[in-house]
Amino acid sequence: MAVYRILSIDGGGIRGIISTILLQRLSAEPSLSGWLEKVDLLAGTSTGGLLALGIAKPLNLQVIRDLYETKGKIIFDDSWLRDLRDLGGIIGAKYDIANLDKELHAILGATTLSQLSKKVLITAFDLDNDVADEQQRTWKPKLFHNFPGPDSDGDRLAFKVGVYTAAAPTYFPSADGYVDGGVFASNPAMCALAQTQDPRIGDRPALKDVVLFSLGTGTSLTYITGESRNWGYAQWVKPLISLMLDGVAGIADYQCCQLLGSAYRRLAPVFPPPLSIPMDAVDRMPEMIAFAEEVALEPTIEWLKSHW
């Protein structure tokens, strides 16, 4: 079978601008002309899901970049009135998800997943599967996709799926019972690889024919000193979110590397210590743009030329 190409993009909120610029730079490389159009499956979590949906529509990368640069402040609008109402995020989400809904609708319109130009896999988490049998009712991971079969989500509106995957707990309210897929797959690469091997999709590629390019949104070097931390809820809640996101991303990287070997490439640029950029740091857009423009791409370019 011909090479089957997967592009997987991590979550990371406003840091999606970094992934977008990296994709723009790779697409501008003369020796890689048309590489992005060759993608067979786009996988994404949270901001990576928005990128995947936008590329699959298809939207020009500059349109997607403009969403971050010009609409980021609207999406992450932490007004004083909202702070007053939710006590600074203590009893409510930090941002109103209606702004995200509006901006995604503006660029994706009434397009359904089945109308996208490419196959997609978008992660979210279903807080209640709402089945009649109480023995089976539970929360669970949800992988929205437009592959054929009885579990296809082809009739779902792309912009709504974008809202679901980006509804990060504490940052946004849940949307129609869904929250950000980053709670189980901040790096969706392994989910995408597993999807290609699902016997229900029909003509699935052999593992030896799959190549996978995994793209991060900027990594902060984080650690907790000391051999013992006798912490409770208050101390653990903030670092625990980052700990889980980084841990999940790291294990997916390990798994894909072991299964695919040289047919797998991960580009996850690391911020110079002690730099750390939160997923809602809209005011640091110039800093993120400058960082993305300086990331060394030569090894990734060579990998794409030889494997893609």
Side-chain angles (χ1 to χ4, degrees):
M1 185 177 177
V3 172
Y4 190 94
R5 303 170 180 87
I6 302 172
L7 172 60
S8 173
I9 310 174
D10 287 13
I14 198 65
R15 296 199 309 268
I17 184 67
I18 295 172
S19 304
T20 306
I21 292 173
L22 294 177
L23 290 173
Q24 282 186 311
R25 290 180 59 198
L26 290 171
S27 296
E29 172 63 32
S31 63
L32 296 179
S33 179
W35 79 274
L36 196 53
E37 288 72 29
K38 294 179 180 178
V39 171
D40 294 292
L41 171 59
L42 287 151
T45 288
S46 195
T47 198
L50 306 187
L51 264 165
L53 291 167
I55 294 169
K57 180 169 168 59
L59 297 175
N60 186 281
L61 285 172
Q62 187 59 46
V63 173
I64 301 173
R65 178 170 175 171
D66 288 343
L67 176 68
Y68 290 102
E69 291 195 71
T70 66
K71 305 298 184 181
K73 288 184 178 180
I74 298 174
I75 294 170
F76 292 103
D77 178 24
D78 188 21
S79 67
W80 69 268
L81 183 60
R82 185 171 181 82
D83 270 350
L84 181 64
R85 189 169 61 244
D86 62 19
L87 301 183
I90 295 176
I91 61 170
K94 193 173 182 180
Y95 305 106
D96 188 343
I97 204 165
N99 295 332
L100 176 63
D101 189 289
K102 179 181 177 182
E103 298 304 332
L104 292 184
H105 191 200
I107 64 171
L108 295 174
T111 304
T112 63
L113 295 189
S114 64
Q115 293 170 328
L116 297 175
S117 65
K118 295 184 179 296
K119 292 291 185 287
V120 295
L121 186 79
I122 311 296
T123 70
F125 194 85
D126 186 355
L127 295 176
D128 181 1
N129 62 7
D130 200 26
V131 298
D133 185 353
E134 287 296 324
Q135 295 297 317
Q136 299 182 41
R137 189 172 182 179
T138 185
W139 57 18
K140 65 181 179 62
K142 170 62 180 175
L143 300 173
F144 288 96
H145 67 82
N146 55 359
F147 285 86
D151 67 334
S152 177
D153 301 292
D155 61 342
R156 295 279 194 151
L157 290 168
F159 90 91
K160 280 297 185 184
V161 173
V163 173
Y164 301 157
T165 189
T170 73
Y171 289 93
F172 295 107
S174 60
D176 297 336
Y178 294 101
V179 294
D180 193 325
V183 300
F184 72 94
S186 55
N187 171 357
M190 191 62 195
C191 294
L193 183 59
Q195 180 69 22
T196 68
Q197 302 305 300
D198 189 335
R200 295 173 296 179
I201 68 173
D203 189 20
R204 65 185 189 274
L207 203 59
K208 65 179 181 61
D209 295 321
V210 175
V211 293
L212 199 163
F213 178 30
S214 174
L215 184 59
T217 60
T219 302
S220 300
L221 297 176
T222 307
Y223 53 88
I224 297 173
T225 59
E227 295 184 4
S228 177
R229 279 286 175 261
N230 187 25
W231 289 353
Y233 294 117
Q235 298 100 326
W236 269 116
V237 66
K238 187 173 181 179
L240 194 58
I241 293 175
S242 296
L243 184 153
M244 290 189 298
L245 292 176
D246 289 347
V248 169
I251 197 62
D253 177 43
Y254 170 80
Q255 290 165 331
C256 289
C257 186
Q258 296 302 310
L259 288 171
L260 296 178
S262 63
Y264 169 71
R265 172 75 184 174
R266 177 145 171 90
L267 176 59
V270 177
F271 297 128
L275 181 64
S276 178
I277 300 180
M279 66 171 59
D280 60 345
V282 182
D283 58 328
R284 298 174 69 178
M285 185 68 67
E287 191 176 354
M288 288 185 282
I289 292 172
F291 172 77
E293 293 288 0
E294 294 299 321
V295 173
L297 293 181
E298 288 74 17
T300 298
I301 290 171
E302 290 305 311
W303 181 85
L304 286 169
K305 286 165 62 176
S306 61
H307 290 85
W308 204 254

